[in-house]
Amino acid sequence: MSGSTYFARSHVQRTFEQLMNVLPSQLKEKPQVILLAGGNTPFRNDTDRELPFRQESNFYYLTGCSVPGSFLLALYQPEQTSSSTRLSVRLSIPEVQAADLMWSVPPPTIKEAKQLFDVTDISYSSELQGAITLLLQSHPEAVFHTLPRNSPQFPTLPEEYMVTIVTSETHTATDAYLLSSLHKTRLVKDENEITMLRRANDISSRAHETVMRVLGNAVQGKIAQGEGAGIDRPLLPGEWLIEKEAEAEAIFVASCRREGAVHQAYLPIVAASRRAATLHYCCNDREFTWGPVKPQDHLNHGALAHGPAPEKQLDPQLLLIDAGCEWDCYSADITRTMPVGNGGKFTEKGKQIYSLVLEMQQKSMKKLRPGVHWDTIQLLCHQILVEGFLNIGLFKGPKDEILRSGISSAFFPHGVGHSLGMDVHDVPSASKPTNNTTIPQDKVGHPSFYTYLRLRLPLAEGMVVTVEPGIYFHEHLLKAVEESEYVNHDLLKEYRGMGGVRIEDDILITSDGCENLTKVRSDVEWLESVCSGEI
């Protein structure tokens, strides 16, 4: 990562400033030091086979460095008046070994690293112990901050680096303040980070549309179908049909990888039919439902998957894809629900539920601006759902009573969205703090609406959030409302096999509103036109 595009020193400066806000008064006047280890290349159990490496988010945030085996040593001196002498950021990287040249891609040299990383000093990791010793001598009262030690969630600092600090009578070593300060700093993105998030969204948006268009081509008969078309060689990408969840996932990931995105931000969720009601379904190992096999028989017994027409007919169903790539450690998180079967068109009931979820999302986004509390957006979605179900006939009774009963949580059980950034569920300690005085006390509704919210703060300019309402017909969740007087149980039977609908976009909070970073469209007319192959 070029120093001209990733402003690591600015991130370090902001993190130190956040630290100063939370430190006890007796520590504030002392020199402050951050000591971090980056991640190491993981290996498959009991082998020498590498697993994919992805840098730990906090380390990357402060360095912009994805070199395995690196370290950060940063010094902040509050008493200095000049910004040039107040902050120093030292990055230590491993030295090139002969084996690196033979087996893998070697780390950069010092000369190369100076052109790549926005820090004040670059050295080899072998020199880090000497740098720590020198800092201890020159700043005898320094406070050393680390991420939680002895935690499996973060890379481990070698003991030799900590022992001198921990045993010192004049220095302080603490892991109580850095993680929360980093999370609060990372909650608001700078322009550079927003650029990364835009790129991740652009790539992921095209991947979602690619899956839709492959489905549409199949509807139009534009894809050769293997042996039935007289093809006796492996099918090429342009000839792939999507008849299984795994095939849709493969096309999505391939589209992202083709555009240079190395990692998915999370395991893709590709769920057809009833499985779309499982929020984090990431098995992605079932075929679509086919007739005349019953829709609930998701195994299909291996029958009819590749048989000739007319036996092979896709049952009308919904396909939910929740997937997004990373671009340089910054995540996209996008969900689209699309019609499969029925010529690429929604059924009447499918369109009803999809349109209601889209209304929940669009009305939520119109409310987003700095100062708006996220709880109010959650409540708004439940209000729209209750009103929509009353109009459809799925609910009956007074709207306010239904809202207070909490039964809508059986159909919309999760939060409307979360903070997004380097991690897909970004900075949890900052987005949902343990001691939270911001939560509105005058809201209407039911406590269950807020149980699974991952964000419970007023919005601020520069935050990036997902907006992802959904409606689901999950057999386990529906048991909670089987005796409810507010539910039209006879009509509900007609919706139970649908699975679920979720629509998710990534939203930047601006000074006077918001901006949608997600480019793939979600309106019914466009979605049906693409999935049917008409455009």
Side-chain angles (χ1 to χ4, degrees):
M1 181 65 64
S2 168
S4 63
T5 58
Y6 195 89
F7 303 109
R9 273 188 284 184
S10 171
H11 293 177
V12 177
Q13 174 80 25
R14 289 173 56 202
T15 302
F16 272 124
E17 291 171 355
Q18 185 61 242
L19 265 172
M20 299 304 292
N21 291 333
V22 299
L23 285 178
S25 56
Q26 65 269 25
L27 298 180
K28 285 190 175 184
E29 302 304 318
K30 298 181 178 183
Q32 309 294 322
V33 178
I34 294 175
L35 178 59
L36 287 187
N40 291 302
T41 301
F43 293 86
R44 184 166 173 163
N45 295 342
D46 198 32
T47 75
D48 63 351
R49 299 309 304 135
E50 299 93 337
L51 295 174
F53 174 77
R54 196 272 193 185
Q55 186 60 274
E56 194 274 325
S57 293
N58 295 293
F59 187 88
Y60 191 88
Y61 181 75
L62 296 177
T63 64
C65 175
S66 283
V67 178
S70 299
F71 296 89
L72 169 70
L73 183 67
L75 170 66
Y76 180 76
Q77 302 179 78
E79 71 277 6
Q80 296 292 327
T81 56
S82 169
S83 60
S84 60
T85 59
R86 187 180 303 151
L87 181 71
S88 66
V89 183
R90 181 190 186 100
L91 177 65
S92 297
I93 59 175
E95 193 167 359
V96 177
Q97 303 296 321
D100 293 330
L101 300 171
M102 179 173 67
W103 291 108
S104 59
V105 178
T109 64
I110 295 295
K111 182 179 180 180
E112 292 168 336
K114 287 181 177 179
Q115 303 300 313
L116 292 172
F117 305 117
D118 178 32
V119 294
T120 51
D121 191 26
I122 299 273
S123 65
Y124 288 125
S125 303
S126 58
E127 302 172 35
L128 180 58
Q129 182 64 72
I132 293 173
T133 301
L134 184 61
L135 194 150
L136 288 167
Q137 294 171 351
S138 59
H139 298 85
E141 293 190 328
V143 181
F144 280 75
H145 300 274
T146 68
L147 292 175
R149 298 195 292 275
N150 303 317
S151 169
Q153 297 184 42
F154 305 103
T156 302
L157 277 165
E159 188 61 29
E160 61 265 28
Y161 296 149
M162 292 302 301
V163 64
T164 308
I165 304 168
V166 172
T167 58
S168 170
E169 295 183 359
T170 60
H171 297 90
T172 302
T174 175
D175 59 4
Y177 307 104
L178 180 57
L179 181 61
S180 61
S181 296
L182 271 164
H183 277 191
K184 289 177 183 176
T185 308
R186 286 171 49 193
L187 188 63
V188 174
K189 278 65 180 177
D190 60 28
E191 282 300 322
N192 174 60
E193 294 181 279
I194 293 167
T195 297
M196 305 296 188
L197 291 165
R198 288 186 197 280
R199 186 68 181 272
N201 263 270
D202 288 348
I203 294 171
S204 302
S205 292
R206 286 189 285 270
H208 276 279
E209 184 173 340
T210 297
V211 174
M212 296 174 192
R213 290 195 177 279
V214 173
L215 289 168
N217 282 347
V219 172
Q220 295 293 322
K222 296 178 180 178
I223 299 179
Q225 301 187 30
E227 293 180 5
I231 297 176
D232 59 358
R233 55 165 172 74
L235 297 177
L236 304 179
E239 300 165 335
W240 292 348
L241 279 170
I242 300 177
E243 300 179 330
K244 307 173 185 176
E245 294 161 349
E247 291 167 340
E249 178 187 9
I251 289 174
F252 183 93
V253 174
S255 180
C256 294
R257 195 70 181 89
R258 180 176 173 271
E259 292 202 48
V262 176
H263 298 286
Q264 292 294 296
Y266 52 98
L267 291 176
I269 298 164
V270 184
S273 190
R274 290 174 179 259
R275 297 178 292 281
T278 301
L279 302 183
H280 281 186
Y281 176 88
C282 47
C283 307
N284 306 347
D285 62 349
R286 305 300 189 203
E287 294 185 358
F288 296 165
T289 53
W290 303 90
V293 175
K294 295 179 181 179
Q296 62 267 28
D297 187 358
H298 59 238
L299 292 176
N300 291 333
H301 304 301
L304 305 177
H306 300 285
E311 292 88 348
K312 178 186 171 185
Q313 295 292 329
L314 272 173
D315 280 341
Q317 62 202 280
L318 298 173
L319 173 64
L320 186 153
I321 301 180
D322 183 338
C325 73
E326 282 190 348
W327 184 260
D328 281 344
C329 291
Y330 283 84
S331 301
D333 186 1
I334 302 171
T335 306
R336 288 295 181 267
T337 306
M338 59 205 74
V340 173
N342 199 40
K345 307 284 187 174
F346 288 107
T347 63
E348 179 184 354
K349 287 183 171 55
K351 185 181 291 188
Q352 276 183 341
I353 300 304
Y354 184 91
S355 299
L356 180 53
V357 174
L358 188 62
E359 180 185 356
M360 292 162 69
Q361 189 199 42
Q362 291 177 339
K363 288 185 176 179
S364 293
M365 290 192 290
K366 288 181 179 179
K367 295 286 186 181
L368 300 185
R369 58 183 48 83
V372 172
H373 200 286
W374 198 240
D375 279 26
T376 65
I377 305 302
Q378 180 76 1
L379 178 59
L380 174 64
C381 285
H382 278 275
Q383 291 170 330
I384 296 169
L385 187 156
V386 169
E387 188 171 321
F389 272 25
L390 283 169
N391 292 336
I392 292 171
L394 278 168
F395 283 171
K396 55 186 179 178
K399 177 180 176 181
D400 289 345
E401 282 186 23
I402 296 171
L403 199 64
R404 286 194 296 270
S405 75
I407 63 166
S408 54
S409 291
F411 301 89
F412 174 39
H414 60 80
V416 66
H418 49 79
S419 176
L420 180 72
M422 303 189 75
D423 295 304
V424 69
H425 295 155
D426 208 38
V427 294
S429 74
S431 65
K432 189 178 181 180
T434 303
N435 299 315
N436 192 347
T437 60
T438 72
I439 296 175
Q441 300 301 311
D442 58 348
K443 56 179 179 283
V444 188
H446 191 272
S448 64
F449 295 172
Y450 312 96
T451 303
Y452 296 107
L453 271 179
R454 290 187 170 96
L455 176 63
R456 300 202 71 176
L457 293 175
L459 297 173
E461 182 180 359
M463 288 175 62
V464 177
V465 298
T466 66
V467 181
E468 50 175 310
I471 293 175
Y472 311 88
F473 299 91
H474 191 291
E475 290 303 318
H476 174 74
L477 297 177
L478 293 180
K479 289 183 182 300
V481 298
E482 283 183 345
E483 305 299 324
S484 174
E485 61 182 304
Y486 301 115
V487 176
N488 183 337
H489 298 284
D490 289 336
L491 184 59
L492 179 59
K493 292 176 184 178
E494 300 179 22
Y495 291 82
R496 292 181 86 113
M498 183 180 298
V501 173
R502 183 163 64 254
I503 308 170
E504 178 180 19
D505 290 8
D506 300 342
I507 308 298
L508 168 66
I509 305 303
T510 61
S511 61
D512 58 354
C514 68
E515 176 191 346
N516 193 340
L517 303 180
T518 301
K519 299 301 189 292
V520 58
R521 288 171 58 176
S522 55
D523 55 284
V524 171
E525 181 181 3
W526 181 85
L527 197 59
E528 288 190 328
S529 296
V530 172
C531 291
S532 66
E534 293 174 357
I535 62 172

